[in-house]
Amino acid sequence: MDLTEQKLKPKNIHCCYHKDSMIVRLFEASVELLNNPQKSIAHIAIDYGFCDQAHFTKLFKKHRNMTPHTFRQQYAFYK
């Protein structure tokens, strides 16, 4: 790779991809929370690639300003 290619290549491309991927997984998990109220939050976390429920809850709260449980209670279609 020459000097020009090095300047053009973003240095944090992995970071951006990882963050974007995580945001997409959080969105998809949010949909799952609402569409499947009988499914546990722990199972949804694992199904969408989070290492455990605690990690999922931490990231979910950071991006949605509420826990998955509160989100499910507030926005659930089927109660």
Side-chain angles (χ1 to χ4, degrees):
M1 182 177 339
D2 66 13
L3 187 56
T4 305
E5 290 175 347
Q6 288 177 354
K7 287 181 181 180
L8 294 176
K9 184 178 177 186
K11 293 179 181 171
N12 59 353
I13 194 162
H14 175 72
C15 177
C16 293
Y17 174 77
H18 177 73
K19 183 177 178 183
D20 290 346
S21 170
M22 186 261 309
I23 291 170
V24 168
R25 290 184 296 134
L26 279 171
F27 174 77
E28 291 173 347
S30 300
V31 172
E32 185 80 10
L33 282 167
L34 298 178
N35 288 335
N36 293 305
Q38 73 285 356
K39 194 170 188 180
S40 74
I41 294 170
H43 280 112
I44 291 171
I46 299 300
D47 287 350
Y48 285 89
F50 297 93
C51 55
D52 57 25
Q53 182 178 345
H55 183 239
F56 172 63
T57 298
K58 180 181 177 181
L59 292 173
F60 193 97
K61 189 171 183 179
K62 181 179 178 182
H63 288 275
R64 295 241 181 227
N65 296 318
M66 65 179 75
T67 65
H69 179 75
T70 303
F71 178 82
R72 181 181 261 174
Q73 286 182 325
Q74 191 168 347
Y75 299 106
F77 301 125
Y78 314 103
K79 292 190 179 184

